[in-house]
Amino acid sequence: MFLRIPFFGLLARRSPMDGLVEHYDKIAECIATIDESLECYVSGGMCREFEELTKTIDEIENHADKIKRNIRNHLPTGFFMAVEKHLFLNYTKAQDNILDSAQDALQWLAMRKVDIPEDIQKDLIYLLDSVARATVLLGPALKATIALVHGESLDREGTKEQYRKVRRERDNVRKLKNALQRKVYSSELDFKDIYQILHFSDCLDNMGHNTENCADILRSMIAR
């Protein structure tokens, strides 16, 4: 039987898995920026601060891309990887997709001014809160996985529970998005407004979907 021994740290100063945490931290910055942007948008529409926030999220995403390229360009050979290389690469792509969806969400919001009814404003905020919770839960799941594959932890069941928490919150994101879209469709809003809000909510939903993908890939990394 082939054993992938977690002795990477003995052969290199820094594991590429640690770079995933640095990349993940950019997701939290994106969530905070979207949250601030949505608050600005619904309270005053296309204000000056909103335009600055859209530039901020572009800068965060560009920085995250540099981190991703640096991780991918300095991978050790397959034998010295703590996990299968294809899983590692798939994870970096899925995690980066969260950031891409965040950037797309803000681009849709910035497309044009929409006067969003108060009840729909609340539902958008609830949806964004749920997406934020799902992405926050991904952090402990990632760190627990790294500790496990590096042999720094033996808590396999506790690590699996971290994945389940992400999936449960992702289910909540889906339900909130569906309820929001039903409400938007049945509203008296102009079609262009409906179209724009639906795309914004789809981008938030994609963030939740890609967060769940990340958890699924992490689960594969520790599979026996």
Side-chain angles (χ1 to χ4, degrees):
M1 182 177 66
F2 175 77
L3 290 177
R4 187 169 289 273
I5 304 171
F7 65 134
F8 183 87
L10 301 176
L11 301 171
R13 288 191 302 174
R14 188 168 185 260
S15 163
M17 295 288 286
D18 294 331
L20 296 179
V21 177
E22 185 182 0
H23 185 265
Y24 166 81
D25 288 342
K26 294 297 166 189
I27 295 174
E29 291 183 36
C30 275
I31 288 286
T33 305
I34 293 178
D35 191 42
E36 192 176 352
S37 301
L38 183 59
E39 183 180 342
C40 172
Y41 189 87
V42 299
S43 62
M46 305 294 286
C47 54
R48 183 179 62 83
E49 292 81 359
F50 181 84
E51 293 179 4
E52 291 174 356
L53 289 166
T54 59
K55 293 177 184 174
T56 298
I57 207 164
D58 288 342
E59 292 169 359
I60 295 170
E61 208 281 332
N62 289 337
H63 189 187
D65 276 346
K66 289 178 183 175
I67 296 171
K68 182 188 70 175
R69 285 195 297 271
N70 186 55
I71 295 170
R72 287 175 169 243
N73 292 339
H74 295 88
L75 286 180
T77 60
F79 180 76
F80 295 112
M81 289 286 292
V83 299
E84 298 289 344
K85 184 177 281 188
H86 77 278
L87 289 175
F88 181 86
L89 293 174
N90 286 344
Y91 182 85
T92 59
K93 180 175 175 54
Q95 190 165 274
D96 200 59
N97 285 344
I98 300 173
L99 292 162
D100 288 343
S101 295
Q103 191 177 27
D104 290 344
L106 214 53
Q107 290 300 322
W108 273 103
L109 205 60
M111 201 75 70
R112 51 186 278 280
K113 172 75 172 65
V114 176
D115 291 323
I116 304 175
E118 190 172 340
D119 59 332
I120 294 177
Q121 289 178 22
K122 290 179 181 175
D123 287 351
L124 281 171
I125 290 168
Y126 295 153
L127 174 59
L128 180 56
D129 285 346
S130 184
V131 172
R133 284 194 295 274
T135 57
V136 166
L137 289 169
L138 180 61
L142 173 61
K143 290 171 184 173
T145 304
I146 293 172
L148 201 62
V149 300
H150 284 171
E152 298 163 357
S153 166
L154 298 176
D155 188 10
R156 180 174 292 273
E157 188 53 40
T159 303
K160 290 179 183 177
E161 179 56 27
Q162 299 290 347
Y163 308 148
R164 295 184 194 109
K165 289 179 181 177
V166 174
R167 293 192 192 103
R168 285 196 287 269
E169 194 58 47
R170 190 305 183 249
D171 284 341
N172 192 44
V173 169
R174 184 186 294 108
K175 291 172 184 172
L176 289 171
K177 188 265 295 186
N178 290 340
L180 168 68
Q181 294 197 340
R182 278 195 297 273
K183 183 179 288 186
V184 172
Y185 263 124
S186 61
S187 72
E188 299 297 324
L189 286 167
D190 179 79
F191 175 75
K192 287 196 292 186
D193 295 344
I194 291 174
Y195 191 79
Q196 193 169 342
I197 295 172
L198 292 185
H199 271 280
F200 175 68
S201 61
D202 279 340
C203 291
L204 295 182
D205 184 58
N206 284 339
M207 292 179 70
H209 175 68
N210 285 307
T211 302
E212 183 182 40
N213 282 347
C214 285
D216 289 343
I217 297 169
L218 292 176
R219 176 67 183 86
S220 298
M221 288 180 181
I222 67 165
R224 287 176 169 166

